[in-house]
Amino acid sequence: MEFACSHVVCHWRPDGAGIPLIKHQHDDTGTVQQQDVPPPLPPRRLPRKPRPSSLPPPLPPSSSHRPLTPLSLPPPLPPRAESRLRANVNVVSLSVGTLVDVSRASGLESFQSPVLCGKCSAALSCLSSMQKNVWVCEFCGCESAVSDRVCVSDRVCVSHRVCVDDIYLQNHSEDDYQNLEESLVVFCVDVSGSMSVTAEVTSSSGSPTYISRLEGMQDALQGALSSLLQESPRRRVALVTFNDEVVIYGDGTSTPLTLRDWALVDYDHIWKQGMAYSIPHCIAETHQQLMQRVKDLREHGATSLGPAALASVAMASRYPGSKVVLCTDGRANIGLGEMEKPPSLSSLSPSSLTPYFYKQLAQQAVESGVIISVMTFEGTDCRLADVGRFADTTGGRVNIVSIGTVATEIQSASVDNILATGVTATLIAPDGVYFPFEDEQNHTLVREIGNVTKGLEVTFQFAVKPQFMEVFLQKDTLPFQLQLSFKTRDQEKVTRVITEQRPVASSSGIWAGSLNMAVLGVHSAQLCARLAMEGRVQEAQRQLKDQQHLLRLISQQRPIQKEESIYGNWMDTMTTICDDITPESQTLSDEAAKVMYQMKRASSVSNNNNNNNSSSSNTIQRKEKALMEGM
């Protein structure tokens, strides 16, 4: 766990009446202690010195003596400038992609089960207080009898920070061993009539030429198949295409299965057909057949995107850790998930069920350990805000490609490996702490993460309830605990418990140097994008203003680093998008939706090596280029 502030700030309130941001660090804790508060201002006028006794008394005033003109008083001193924190700096970041890699935590494993509090489900750790085999939970105060203290841990002490890390493994897994090489990659490709649109590209000889979107897709798929053959010859690979019908080619060695007409609106039928379609061979055995299937593709017809995605997920669900790469250039207009007919025409039409369909299929993919990546072509309107839900929920990629970049994106999406599935993060804080912007306003927060790939970060913010502020200020530290439950790539169930004590800010201010802008920047991007995608645009705008205000205050006190300037670009980009959203038009463009989905999966600049050098003339894309330098 990585916290944005060195201390827990008890004074912050959502009304913006936060504690001041001070200009200088007075001690090594990052905060100003009460005794170190600057002294009060001196009195305006110094007291008069007593007259020497040898001097004669002053003469009484007379008409012959002109009264002395009183000295003019100095102008009043300006009030002390005080910058107050409007943004909540009580933010914690979890590098989930690192935490689920148990190979990095060798020596911490235990085959015992954690001892849990009967009230708040906190786990007993080496930091817990025990008296005569009675554990008084440090989070809720509940007393529990414990026969034996079980704790295999690694204690880390850094300054005021004490951290314990425990990993609990099960002796036997309920599932058979699943090797990553046995997973499935499904390429789900649009072959509708619009894929015949051409664009100018530069040929290998350097001269301009025109190729269609489908031709560009065919070249990209053939390159991806050859790459998989070399790097993962035991990996299963399947092909699904869609226009006004869905064709399941599988691994290319069997007779294709075609779904059309009524079958395109029957969810259960499509799922059963996809589950039943056998993929017996790996890419080493089917490379030539798949290459020929891709070469023979022709574009025509409508866009039955929803049924094709459903069939692809059903096929992949047989192999946990599999992925679906969905490529399209148009809006779904036939079958499940269609988006073209107004819902008012029929309350039972497939279009009226569109949001539910995408949400249901995405959740089913998560439960099956399947990751979905979505890519659309630039210059099209695919309703990426809806289709992108697949990737957002399952942990996949969302991107807009051109004919020249589709090969690179397909290659990247096909090699994204799932590190863990079924991931659930539970963050427990002391009773009296709550988590803003979450459904449950208590001291325990549960977040269903699902599939995890490399580099994934998740952030939370917390605050202290007003009635508990004085109580917490009397304490030196407050405990926090992360419980991470997941399945590894080989289907082994793991529970990782990290318990940490954080010092309390019993001071009148916070020093800018103690704030971790990487944690704050990532949290701002994730939270504001989430609020905007949920339609809570005004809340997102308010959070963006508070974060921009904080960044300005920090820049006045210390130099802004390069990565921090990128976080500022993120905020500017989202501000531009949020300002363009009006109550009359809540639908995001594909470009704006792409940025928002990528923001929801934002990670620290220093931990992310993916670059996007695309450029465009409009405002959002110009800012997005600066944003993507760190994503």
Side-chain angles (χ1 to χ4, degrees):
M1 292 188 289
E2 188 172 9
F3 288 75
C5 185
S6 59
H7 288 56
V8 177
V9 179
C10 297
H11 307 75
W12 182 84
R13 299 199 305 269
D15 58 6
I19 61 177
L21 189 69
I22 62 174
K23 294 186 177 181
H24 303 287
Q25 183 182 21
H26 288 257
D27 59 15
D28 59 355
T29 65
T31 58
V32 179
Q33 303 301 323
Q34 291 288 358
Q35 61 266 28
D36 292 332
V37 175
L41 293 174
R44 295 183 181 277
R45 301 179 63 182
L46 296 175
R48 290 184 177 180
K49 296 181 179 179
R51 282 179 168 276
S53 57
S54 61
L55 294 178
L59 296 174
S62 62
S63 59
S64 60
H65 292 82
R66 188 175 181 179
L68 298 175
T69 303
L71 297 176
S72 60
L73 295 177
L77 293 175
R80 293 195 201 186
E82 187 179 78
S83 300
R84 303 191 72 86
L85 289 172
R86 298 203 302 258
N88 185 7
V89 296
N90 290 319
V91 177
V92 58
S93 173
L94 310 178
S95 295
V96 186
T98 301
L99 293 174
V100 298
D101 187 358
V102 294
S103 63
R104 297 187 178 185
S106 178
L108 302 183
E109 301 89 346
S110 170
F111 289 102
Q112 299 166 332
S113 298
V115 178
L116 302 180
C117 171
K119 182 178 179 181
C120 70
S121 297
L124 178 72
S125 76
C126 289
L127 300 180
S128 302
S129 177
M130 292 276 293
Q131 292 184 352
K132 296 181 180 180
N133 292 335
V134 175
W135 168 35
V136 180
C137 178
E138 57 268 37
F139 297 95
C140 67
C142 178
E143 296 185 358
S144 303
V146 181
S147 57
D148 294 311
R149 181 167 179 168
V150 180
C151 180
V152 179
S153 63
D154 178 30
R155 179 179 298 207
V156 178
C157 300
V158 180
S159 183
H160 298 273
R161 172 182 173 185
V162 181
C163 180
V164 172
D165 191 348
D166 301 314
I167 296 179
Y168 300 93
L169 308 176
Q170 288 192 355
N171 283 312
H172 300 285
S173 176
E174 297 177 358
D175 303 301
D176 293 333
Y177 177 83
Q178 176 70 43
N179 190 290
L180 180 64
E181 291 296 311
E182 297 174 355
S183 61
L184 177 65
V185 178
V186 181
F187 293 108
C188 184
V189 182
D190 186 347
V191 291
S192 62
S194 57
M195 290 290 286
S196 61
V197 174
T198 61
E200 181 179 316
V201 297
T202 302
S203 65
S204 57
S205 61
S207 60
T209 185
Y210 286 85
I211 66 172
S212 68
R213 293 171 182 165
L214 181 59
E215 290 172 332
M217 182 68 68
Q218 288 171 315
D219 291 341
L221 288 174
Q222 289 174 339
L225 291 173
S226 298
S227 178
L228 285 168
L229 174 64
Q230 294 179 359
E231 298 177 6
S232 304
R234 293 180 54 195
R235 187 76 57 89
R236 292 181 174 90
V237 180
L239 175 67
V240 175
T241 64
F242 60 93
N243 42 35
D244 47 14
E245 58 187 21
V246 175
V247 181
I248 302 176
Y249 292 98
D251 59 16
T253 62
S254 303
T255 302
L257 173 64
T258 302
L259 303 174
R260 58 170 66 93
D261 301 330
W262 63 268
L264 299 180
V265 295
D266 191 327
Y267 192 103
D268 293 336
H269 175 74
I270 298 173
W271 182 266
K272 291 178 181 178
Q273 292 295 317
M275 282 281 292
Y277 198 92
S278 178
I279 312 291
H281 304 293
C282 61
I283 184 67
E285 302 170 298
T286 65
H287 178 256
Q288 291 300 325
Q289 291 88 338
L290 283 171
M291 293 285 278
Q292 188 62 44
R293 295 291 190 185
V294 169
K295 184 179 180 180
D296 293 341
L297 295 179
R298 296 294 181 268
E299 66 273 60
H300 71 278
T303 308
S304 55
L305 183 151
L310 176 57
S312 300
V313 172
M315 294 170 62
S317 65
R318 297 176 57 185
Y319 311 95
S322 298
K323 59 180 65 70
V324 173
V325 182
L326 175 62
C327 312
T328 185
D329 77 332
R331 187 180 301 183
N333 53 22
I334 185 174
L336 294 170
E338 67 168 300
M339 304 174 184
E340 299 229 331
K341 292 181 180 178
S344 58
L345 293 181
S346 172
S347 60
L348 297 180
S349 67
S351 59
S352 65
L353 304 176
T354 293
Y356 175 75
F357 167 77
Y358 289 104
K359 181 178 179 180
Q360 179 188 15
L361 181 53
Q363 188 58 43
Q364 200 159 0
V366 169
E367 294 172 357
S368 303
V370 175
I371 183 173
I372 308 174
S373 290
V374 176
M375 62 188 70
T376 64
F377 278 87
E378 61 184 12
T380 62
D381 179 13
C382 303
R383 288 279 290 273
L384 193 58
D386 290 320
V387 180
R389 191 190 300 267
F390 287 148
D392 180 55
T393 304
T394 63
R397 295 167 173 254
V398 179
N399 211 344
I400 299 176
V401 300
S402 65
I403 293 178
T405 62
V406 62
T408 302
E409 184 60 24
I410 284 184
Q411 174 69 18
S412 300
S414 62
V415 299
D416 272 344
N417 291 327
I418 296 178
L419 301 178
T421 60
V423 182
T424 300
T426 302
L427 188 61
I428 305 175
D431 190 13
V433 171
Y434 71 98
F435 298 92
F437 303 104
E438 304 295 339
D439 296 333
E440 299 295 332
Q441 295 296 305
N442 55 39
H443 67 108
T444 300
L445 174 64
V446 179
R447 179 76 62 84
E448 299 289 343
I449 300 176
N451 302 323
V452 171
T453 54
K454 182 180 179 181
L456 177 65
E457 292 184 33
V458 178
T459 62
F460 310 90
Q461 68 169 276
F462 59 91
V464 176
K465 296 179 180 178
Q467 62 270 30
F468 285 86
M469 288 183 182
E470 294 302 323
V471 176
F472 287 166
L473 286 173
Q474 303 303 316
K475 299 183 178 183
D476 294 329
T477 61
L478 293 177
F480 291 85
Q481 185 175 96
L482 168 67
Q483 297 179 6
L484 203 64
S485 301
F486 55 94
K487 281 185 178 181
T488 61
R489 294 189 301 193
D490 57 4
Q491 298 300 294
E492 186 174 32
K493 289 186 177 181
V494 180
T495 299
R496 188 165 191 170
V497 180
I498 300 176
T499 308
E500 187 168 338
Q501 293 177 348
R502 302 293 299 184
V504 179
S506 57
S507 64
S508 60
I510 293 296
W511 177 54
S514 68
L515 299 178
N516 188 327
M517 197 57 210
V519 173
L520 291 172
V522 171
H523 175 69
S524 174
Q526 293 184 358
L527 174 63
C528 295
R530 188 187 104 194
L531 293 174
M533 294 298 289
E534 293 175 355
R536 301 159 66 179
V537 180
Q538 291 183 344
E539 293 178 77
Q541 291 172 328
R542 183 169 62 253
Q543 289 296 311
L544 286 169
K545 290 180 181 178
D546 290 346
Q547 291 293 335
Q548 289 170 326
H549 175 257
L550 174 60
L551 189 60
R552 285 194 298 270
L553 294 179
I554 293 176
S555 66
Q556 295 171 3
Q557 301 188 23
R558 62 175 174 84
I560 292 295
Q561 305 297 321
K562 179 180 178 180
E563 60 268 19
E564 294 178 353
S565 65
I566 294 177
Y567 300 136
N569 289 336
W570 292 4
M571 299 174 198
D572 293 342
T573 299
M574 287 190 294
T575 299
T576 300
I577 296 175
C578 289
D579 289 345
D580 290 340
I581 302 176
T582 62
E584 295 78 16
S585 176
Q586 289 287 339
T587 302
L588 292 172
S589 67
D590 282 3
E591 281 288 346
K594 166 194 169 182
V595 175
M596 284 299 184
Y597 278 128
Q598 291 179 336
M599 287 290 189
K600 289 183 70 176
R601 309 285 294 190
S603 61
S604 302
V605 172
S606 58
N607 294 332
N608 200 315
N609 296 322
N610 295 329
N611 294 315
N612 188 322
N613 296 320
S614 61
S615 61
S616 179
S617 58
N618 64 59
T619 302
I620 291 179
Q621 288 173 316
R622 287 200 307 269
K623 292 189 175 182
E624 182 190 339
K625 180 179 179 181
L627 178 154
M628 288 297 115
E629 290 177 358
M631 296 187 65

